[in-house]
Amino acid sequence: MLTTECNLECKYCFGEAIEDFEEDFNASDIDYSLPKTINYNYDVLNEFCSKDPNCVLTFYGGEPLLKQQDLRKIMDRVIARFFMIQTNGLLLDRLSPIYVNRFHTILISMDGNEDITNYYRGKDTYEKIINNLKVIKRNKFNGELIARMTVMEKTDIHKQVKWLLENDDLRFSSVHWQLNAGFWGSDYKRRNFISWSKNSYIPGIKKLVEYWIEHMGSEYEVLKIYPFLGIANSLLFGEKKSFLRCGGGWINYTIQTDGQIIPCPTMWGMKKYYLGNIRNSNPLKLKKIHIKLPPCVDCDTIDLCGGRCLYANITKRWSKKSYEQVCINVRELIKAIKKEIPRIQHMIKSRKIKLSDFEYIKYNGCEIIP
């Protein structure tokens, strides 16, 4: 985390934080005094990373491109296998191509077409991102470009994912999304989450899976729709995932602006879950965390789901009854992919696609279980 500051006020982040203000955590449980930007030495970070021969550093915020001087210095001084960034994309044009083109992966927050992106993220956001994507493409960025969607009740998942993959101005190579569910304490009663899930999201997922399969058959290409890709990968390779699919807290960790290490960015300031500090910790010996609480431990989908979200499981900001719909959404997603495995295997056998097409860089910030 380069900074806790952001240059947008999105509805599901800033907006819901304002609505949720009265139901915030107990002040004694959260460190609200984190520095706004990193306050540790770059050489300390390099020493920490040097203990892991496969270190991957992802820049995160807030909005990391607000702190481009820190970002450049880290990329100059810290040795890592890959650099990645999760950004809203509004300042990408201000970072020199020398640095942009060193990113293995850029995840850009975009929720779909112009109307939906601007509705959630603010007026003219979509146009600014489009223009900056054109800039980095013109400057020869050829790494993986991932659309990073946040999904709520205004989202038609089928329509918006297709838009991101098919629009020539965007040229995203991959898409993933996060359901805005269970992160806030008072939002559920303001929303129609269950109705939207049943009437829009689940039917949309089924249509999107069909589109994914049909594209394989006609274009001989496996589109990188990460929730589909990750689940299909596990089913095809016989891989079980009892730990969180995002890697949070067992292979992915977050360094706060003060150098404290936490399981994931969503858990910033949660002192109970501090796992060490980069000044005196070994990245290969950090504590590993996984979901140990019901109903996840008793669920027959735990091997594919992994518990979905550590933060949501720990904080339980939605009631058990309201969160059940989230679990239904996950089950329906998994079921839709499982149903198509025979068709996928037939296409592999007939050499339209290859088994290796379902391999991907794991734990790169993409949600497999949204």
Side-chain angles (χ1 to χ4, degrees):
M1 296 179 71
L2 289 183
T3 178
T4 60
E5 297 181 301
C6 188
N7 54 343
L8 282 179
E9 296 182 352
C10 302
K11 288 185 183 295
Y12 32 64
C13 185
F14 177 86
E16 291 211 346
I18 296 299
E19 294 282 356
D20 201 51
F21 184 78
E22 296 300 325
E23 297 190 28
D24 215 342
F25 294 111
N26 188 314
S28 64
D29 298 329
I30 304 294
D31 184 359
Y32 287 108
S33 62
L34 289 178
K36 290 183 179 180
T37 189
I38 59 174
N39 72 344
Y40 51 80
N41 187 279
Y42 308 122
D43 293 331
V44 172
L45 179 61
N46 186 47
E47 184 178 352
F48 175 78
C49 292
S50 69
K51 297 171 184 175
D52 179 0
N54 293 308
C55 174
V56 175
L57 275 185
T58 300
F59 297 105
Y60 199 88
E63 171 47 50
L65 289 178
L66 288 172
K67 301 298 176 183
Q68 293 191 19
Q69 182 176 357
D70 291 310
L71 183 150
R72 292 194 301 269
K73 287 181 178 179
I74 289 171
M75 293 182 78
D76 288 341
R77 298 188 193 182
V78 178
I79 297 173
R81 183 182 178 191
F82 299 129
F83 289 105
M84 302 184 182
I85 187 170
Q86 299 198 27
T87 172
N88 61 34
L90 298 187
L91 302 174
L92 263 177
D93 59 322
R94 301 186 190 181
L95 184 63
S96 166
I98 294 172
Y99 293 95
V100 172
N101 293 345
R102 287 180 63 192
F103 288 128
H104 176 279
T105 301
I106 298 178
L107 298 98
I108 294 185
S109 299
M110 180 173 269
D111 300 320
N113 63 22
E114 183 174 6
D115 289 344
I116 198 73
T117 298
N118 288 344
Y119 173 79
Y120 284 139
R121 298 185 177 272
K123 185 180 178 182
D124 299 328
T125 301
Y126 178 91
E127 183 178 3
K128 291 175 184 175
I129 296 172
I130 291 289
N131 290 337
N132 287 347
L133 287 177
K134 290 177 180 177
V135 169
I136 67 170
K137 289 287 186 179
R138 189 164 59 243
N139 290 332
K140 309 301 182 186
F141 173 75
N142 60 5
E144 185 173 8
L145 189 61
I146 305 175
R148 180 176 178 248
M149 302 172 69
T150 301
V151 170
M152 286 180 68
E153 284 85 332
K154 288 283 187 180
T155 305
D156 179 329
I157 192 69
H158 173 251
K159 174 182 176 181
Q160 300 303 342
V161 171
K162 283 185 65 178
W163 174 270
L164 291 169
L165 289 172
E166 294 179 350
N167 189 295
D168 289 337
D169 286 334
L170 301 173
R171 298 180 187 173
F172 282 108
S173 51
S174 321
V175 172
H176 84 107
W177 61 90
Q178 173 71 71
L179 283 174
N180 182 22
F183 295 106
W184 305 96
S186 61
D187 67 327
Y188 184 79
K189 62 180 179 288
R190 300 192 300 267
R191 297 169 57 182
N192 60 334
F193 183 76
I194 290 180
S195 174
W196 169 78
S197 295
K198 291 179 177 178
N199 299 315
S200 176
Y201 182 72
I202 293 173
I205 288 292
K206 293 176 179 177
K207 286 173 63 179
L208 192 58
V209 170
E210 186 63 30
Y211 161 77
W212 188 56
I213 296 295
E214 288 179 354
H215 186 90
M216 285 182 212
S218 61
E219 303 298 324
Y220 301 173
E221 176 191 25
V222 179
L223 293 171
K224 280 193 171 181
I225 302 176
Y226 268 97
F228 299 173
L229 189 65
I231 294 169
N233 175 283
S234 294
L235 293 169
L236 291 167
F237 287 92
E239 180 183 50
K240 294 185 176 182
K241 289 285 183 186
S242 57
F243 283 8
L244 290 161
R245 297 301 301 261
C246 63
W250 68 275
I251 197 167
N252 260 357
Y253 296 90
T254 296
I255 303 169
Q256 295 185 157
T257 52
D258 60 353
Q260 294 284 359
I261 301 165
I262 51 176
C264 84
T266 314
M267 298 172 71
W268 72 268
M270 294 176 66
K271 293 179 285 187
K272 183 178 178 181
Y273 295 93
Y274 283 4
L275 303 174
N277 192 295
I278 62 168
R279 297 173 178 90
N280 51 27
S281 296
N282 185 326
L284 300 180
K285 295 181 179 180
L286 295 171
K287 179 181 177 182
K288 296 184 185 299
I289 298 176
H290 61 282
I291 303 299
K292 298 180 179 179
L293 302 171
C296 292
V297 292
D298 304 317
C299 180
D300 59 3
T301 62
I302 187 68
D303 285 342
L304 284 170
C305 172
R308 182 181 176 263
C309 177
L310 182 64
Y311 174 85
N313 272 273
I314 287 171
T315 60
K316 299 189 182 302
R317 308 209 75 182
W318 278 12
S319 69
K320 178 181 177 182
K321 183 177 180 181
S322 58
Y323 200 76
E324 283 175 355
Q325 183 61 53
V326 182
C327 295
I328 291 171
N329 289 353
V330 172
R331 286 175 178 274
E332 290 295 328
L333 168 63
I334 291 172
K335 187 163 70 173
I337 301 297
K338 275 186 173 180
K339 180 183 176 184
E340 300 297 345
I341 292 299
R343 287 173 69 183
I344 292 173
Q345 289 173 327
H346 177 74
M347 283 189 275
I348 293 171
K349 189 175 181 179
S350 62
R351 298 188 178 181
K352 286 188 173 182
I353 55 175
K354 302 185 294 293
L355 185 61
S356 60
D357 292 338
F358 293 86
E359 296 175 348
Y360 60 98
I361 297 289
K362 296 181 180 179
Y363 319 118
N364 60 354
C366 289
E367 299 292 348
I368 302 302
I369 304 296

